[in-house]
Amino acid sequence: MNFAKTIGLMGLVVACGAARAAGPSEAEVANAEEVVSKVRAAARYLHDKGTSAFADFHHKDSKWVWKDSYVFVYDCRKDRMIAHPLRPDLVGKPIMQITDNSGKFIFKELCKVGSEARGGWVEYSWPKPGAGRLSRKVSYAMAADISFSSGVQVSAGIYDEGITLAELNKVLEKMSDPAKYPAL
Amino acid sequence: MADQKLGNPAVVGLAGFGLTTMVLQFHNVGWMGLGPVVWLGLIFGGLAQMIAGLQEMKTGNNFGYCAFTGYGCFWIALALLLLGNHYNIYTSSKTDVGWFLVAWTLFTVILWVGAMRVSSALAITFTLLLIGFILLDLAHFGYPDLTVVAGYELMVTAAMAWYIMAHIIYADLFGRDVLPVGKPWLS
């Protein structure tokens, strides 16, 4: 192997590494199925543990933060953020007035679809973790069944510029049997 | 001393039962948080009602003895259960709380029949209380929206308990029956 070939090979290796660093690999991007499973697991966890479990959703290193997604917990009736691992400044604050850059009232929409029997999806703009800019986010919301606290919901989202709500609803349809898709 | 007038422990028992039940419903319909429910549940609905219940023993009133002591303990247990769930001590799932409420529903059925032998007002109070417990049971087993229905229904229950409390207090103060409680449903 001559010197030029060696340099060329090294350049290729560096370029491949840079490409991997520039765009997250598939393993680092949460998909819709994972989001639904995580949200269901979070709702189940809150059902079993009650309000003491809220504290477990505050931490960045908990199991509720994975890949580029995370579970956040809020109270639609009390209009309060209960837990948000990446935005602790929002915890305890009113949520209903929060809008994205198109003026959509994010939590009004989440609370609306989350109160439906199997939950639902809402798309909006939100900063992607680590990206430092707004991205299209589609979050899945569902009610958490806690004794004497009927307004609590849990939600998590995917960052995807292309996927449609119809496609996401198909995922939900496919996962309608929790026995086949157990909570993570 | 033998002729010394004694108070009726039921006024305190009904006051604690009514007020704490009312405050829990303010929470259940979404007007307020759980904090005051826990502390009132421990002190007024719990401790005071339980002491009133224990005082009923000396009056020879087994119904009041069992009901006030029992529901006093209900409030203490519920408040401790909520505290336990908050501080991660012997946590209860929603299903666990549901079964806790089912047991109290069954207890209430027995007292509901007894209440029909006391007065119309007490029979109405226990009928409403029983319906409220059943609604809360259902709210814990698949119908969470019924919590709000139970909330309004149990506010009426609490008001009925206060009506009977007022009946006893006013009869004493006015020297006549200002707020009648009606005849027993079962004779």
Side-chain angles (χ1 to χ4, degrees):
Chain A
M1 190 180 289
N2 61 29
F3 180 73
K5 266 190 176 173
T6 308
I7 292 294
L9 198 59
M10 281 174 68
L12 190 65
V13 169
V14 170
C16 286
R20 279 183 65 82
S25 69
E26 204 162 285
E28 293 166 330
V29 177
N31 63 36
E33 285 188 12
E34 287 171 10
V35 160
V36 173
S37 294
K38 274 282 186 193
V39 168
R40 282 181 183 167
R44 181 79 215 168
Y45 186 68
L46 288 171
H47 169 278
D48 290 347
K49 298 271 287 178
T51 54
S52 66
F54 288 159
D56 297 337
F57 292 86
H58 290 307
H59 312 296
K60 276 184 188 176
D61 53 355
S62 77
K63 68 172 180 173
W64 307 113
V65 180
W66 81 108
K67 296 183 180 175
D68 64 345
S69 190
Y70 54 87
V71 176
F72 52 103
V73 187
Y74 49 95
D75 192 321
C76 297
R77 281 175 65 192
K78 289 187 192 161
D79 184 15
R80 286 286 180 277
M81 182 69 81
I82 294 172
H84 195 296
L86 301 193
R87 290 288 304 273
D89 56 303
L90 292 178
V91 173
K93 303 271 172 57
I95 50 172
M96 290 305 179
Q97 89 285 8
I98 296 175
T99 57
D100 69 358
N101 59 356
S102 70
K104 179 182 272 187
F105 287 94
I106 299 168
F107 284 89
K108 281 185 183 172
E109 299 280 328
L110 287 170
C111 290
K112 192 175 155 196
V113 301
S115 62
E116 290 167 13
R118 65 175 191 178
W121 299 93
V122 176
E123 62 172 313
Y124 53 95
S125 300
W126 195 259
K128 183 174 178 174
R133 60 179 168 78
L134 288 178
S135 303
R136 177 177 181 257
K137 182 173 186 178
V138 194
S139 288
Y140 173 64
M142 73 178 292
D145 218 7
I146 302 177
S147 196
F148 298 113
S149 299
S150 56
V152 178
Q153 289 189 3
V154 285
S155 191
I158 54 168
Y159 298 89
D160 191 309
E161 298 297 330
I163 196 163
T164 64
L165 289 180
E167 287 171 314
L168 289 168
N169 282 329
K170 273 188 191 164
V171 172
L172 211 51
E173 191 70 40
K174 189 178 77 171
M175 297 178 75
S176 57
D177 182 2
K180 281 187 193 163
Y181 291 89
L184 288 175
Chain B
M1 283 297 285
D3 294 333
Q4 186 185 353
K5 183 183 169 188
L6 290 173
N8 184 345
V11 295
V12 174
L14 289 161
F17 172 89
L19 193 137
T20 318
T21 301
M22 191 69 88
V23 170
L24 175 62
Q25 309 327 311
F26 291 169
H27 165 77
N28 279 341
V29 301
W31 295 342
M32 56 172 266
L34 263 178
V37 179
V38 170
W39 305 118
L40 277 170
L42 284 174
I43 301 301
F44 202 14
L47 183 64
Q49 188 182 181
M50 192 178 77
I51 291 171
L54 296 173
Q55 288 176 323
E56 285 278 16
M57 183 192 72
K58 288 189 179 173
T59 70
N61 176 8
N62 278 319
F63 181 90
Y65 185 20
C66 180
F68 291 134
T69 310
Y71 290 119
C73 291
F74 165 84
W75 278 111
I76 293 170
L78 184 67
L80 292 176
L81 188 154
L82 292 169
L83 285 171
N85 265 13
H86 187 77
Y87 290 108
N88 204 14
I89 304 164
Y90 289 113
T91 52
S92 308
S93 72
K94 186 164 184 182
T95 310
D96 296 336
V97 179
W99 284 112
F100 168 85
L101 292 170
V102 166
W104 284 102
T105 309
L106 298 173
F107 173 77
T108 302
V109 169
I110 298 166
L111 292 177
W112 172 57
V113 176
M116 294 185 211
R117 283 280 291 159
V118 181
S119 68
S120 293
L122 199 66
I124 291 167
T125 305
F126 270 82
T127 303
L128 292 169
L129 180 63
L130 182 58
I131 292 168
F133 264 120
I134 292 169
L135 288 169
L136 284 178
D137 295 342
L138 292 170
H140 281 72
F141 289 102
Y143 303 93
D145 292 344
L146 287 178
T147 303
V148 177
V149 181
Y152 290 113
E153 199 271 349
L154 284 165
M155 279 186 211
V156 183
T157 309
M160 273 306 300
W162 276 346
Y163 178 88
I164 301 170
M165 174 196 75
H167 153 79
I168 299 169
I169 294 171
Y170 293 171
D172 178 34
L173 292 174
F174 291 95
R176 58 192 166 83
D177 190 3
V178 181
L179 297 172
V181 289
K183 290 185 173 152
W185 287 1
L186 297 177
S187 53

